[in-house]
């Protein structure tokens, strides 16, 4: 989901991002840290899906709104994930570095994602792997960055980060990296747009229409 408003140089984007992975890996904690600068040791399993909105002043002319979909680990490749994944343009898959079983499940989450959602041109959505709880003792190949790099290349991840929601490590960096990939895809898709659509956008800007439709819930093709 992407919305770009015209009107001079100013741009606004709305991107839907999924946060998935096994139970208790820290998905909700990562989002809480990122959006509310808050961490709790207390574990309360997410039921179904939760939402959070992060607004980024990306540069002087660009505002990016990230709609974060925090999907319960207990939804595990179930029927609902197809509904939740719809129109997402980026994803994080989270595992817990102290529980190797959560890493073993990563590839299942990746397959579930790739089979249920694609970009409008049919390519997979960019996905970053988060090795969370890096403040804890690590188990398995996460101890070898070279092996992790190779794993990510093989499985089609756009990258990976060691993160800690507890200690606030690398969460902003991981998000920035994902947004960079999304922006790149957005530009590529826009440059593939039909001339007619370009004309519609130029026409709108020329007429000084400030497309604020997003706030009233309508979507815009530009
Ligand atoms: P589900 O909603 O069940 O899928 O779990 P979740 O992935 O949302 O996990 P949640 O964020 O609820 O975290 C589970 C537990 O791990 C909580 O007790 C958190 O406090 C803890 N936790 C999360 N992130 C970290 C971290 O970076 N370091 C440490 N030490 N604990 C963490
Ligand atoms: Mg949760």
């Amino acid at each position: 989901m992407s919305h770009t408003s015209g009107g001079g140089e100013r741009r606004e984007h709305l991107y839907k991002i999924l946060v998935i992975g096994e139970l208790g890996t820290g998905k909700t904690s990562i989002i809480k840290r990122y959006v509310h600068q808050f961490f709790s040791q207390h574990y309360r399993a997410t039921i179904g899906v939760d939402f959070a909105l992060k607004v980024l002043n990306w540069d002087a002319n660009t505002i990016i709104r990230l709609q974060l979909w925090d999907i319960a680990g207990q939804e595990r490749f179930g029927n609902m994930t197809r509904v939740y994944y719809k129109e997402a343009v980026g994803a994080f898959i989270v595992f817990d570095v102290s529980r190797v079983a959560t890493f073993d499940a990563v590839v299942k989450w990746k397959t579930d994602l790739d089979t249920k959602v694609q970009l409008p041109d049919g390519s997979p959505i960019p996905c970053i792997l988060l090795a969370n709880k890096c403040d804890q003792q690590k188990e398995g190949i996460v101890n070898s960055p070279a092996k992790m790099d190779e794993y990510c290349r093989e499985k089609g991840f756009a990258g990976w980060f060691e993160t800690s929601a507890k200690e606030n490590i690398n969460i902003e960096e991981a998000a920035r990296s994902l947004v960079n990939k999304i922006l790149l895809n957005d530009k590529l898709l826009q440059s593939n747009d039909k001339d007619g659509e370009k004309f519609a956008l130029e026409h709108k800007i020329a007429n000084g229409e400030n497309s604020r439709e997003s706030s009233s819930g309508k979507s815009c093709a530009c």
Side-chain angles (χ1 to χ4, degrees):
M1 190 196 308
S2 159
H3 178 96
T4 307
S5 297
E9 289 297 303
R10 287 191 69 77
R11 284 173 168 276
E12 287 186 28
H13 301 279
L14 175 66
Y15 295 130
K16 173 175 172 179
I17 293 180
L18 307 171
V19 185
I20 58 180
E22 291 291 271
L23 272 164
T25 52
K27 300 177 294 296
T28 302
S29 302
I30 288 169
I31 292 170
K32 288 250 160 74
R33 167 63 77 189
Y34 185 51
V35 177
H36 305 294
Q37 291 82 42
F38 166 85
F39 176 78
S40 161
Q41 297 276 3
H42 179 68
Y43 174 42
R44 221 171 110 240
T46 305
I47 311 289
V49 64
D50 269 341
F51 304 95
L53 186 74
K54 173 83 176 178
V55 182
L56 299 173
N57 293 311
W58 189 254
D59 61 32
N61 303 315
T62 315
I63 293 172
I64 295 178
R65 290 176 215 280
L66 301 179
Q67 193 183 74
L68 299 160
W69 286 52
D70 174 9
I71 295 167
Q74 53 184 254
E75 289 295 326
R76 227 172 178 244
F77 340 122
N79 291 330
M80 283 308 287
T81 56
R82 186 182 299 280
V83 178
Y84 297 149
Y85 294 174
K86 204 167 177 272
E87 291 184 339
V89 294
F92 292 111
I93 295 181
V94 184
F95 72 97
D96 175 344
V97 298
S98 68
R99 287 188 293 140
V100 80
T102 67
F103 176 75
D104 295 340
V106 160
V107 68
K108 292 182 201 149
W109 283 102
K110 182 73 165 70
T111 308
D112 191 54
L113 182 72
D114 289 345
T115 54
K116 290 176 179 167
V117 64
Q118 290 87 33
L119 293 175
D121 70 355
S123 55
I125 68 171
C127 179
I128 288 186
L129 182 59
L130 300 183
N132 192 43
K133 308 196 191 180
C134 71
D135 56 282
Q136 303 281 88
Q137 183 78 33
K138 291 176 222 160
E139 261 187 19
I141 79 158
V142 69
N143 283 298
S144 161
K147 280 191 185 146
M148 283 295 289
D149 288 345
E150 194 188 324
Y151 175 90
C152 284
R153 257 196 312 275
E154 237 172 54
K155 308 292 184 206
F157 284 96
W160 70 283
F161 287 82
E162 279 190 1
T163 58
S164 169
K166 185 178 178 201
E167 306 291 340
N168 194 17
I169 298 169
N170 270 345
I171 294 173
E172 304 253 340
E173 288 79 357
R176 218 172 302 134
S177 168
L178 185 61
V179 170
N180 271 319
K181 313 269 177 217
I182 293 169
L183 285 170
L184 211 67
N185 284 334
D186 223 6
K187 280 196 192 107
L188 288 174
L189 286 173
Q190 274 173 28
S191 67
N192 289 338
D193 270 357
K194 283 170 275 152
D195 285 346
E197 283 172 9
K198 271 198 194 133
F199 173 78
L201 176 63
E202 281 158 11
H203 180 75
K204 240 181 177 174
I205 293 170
N207 286 319
E209 284 177 41
N210 192 357
S211 28
R212 289 261 168 229
E213 292 100 332
S214 61
S215 55
S216 62
K218 274 189 249 161
S219 67
C220 165
C222 50

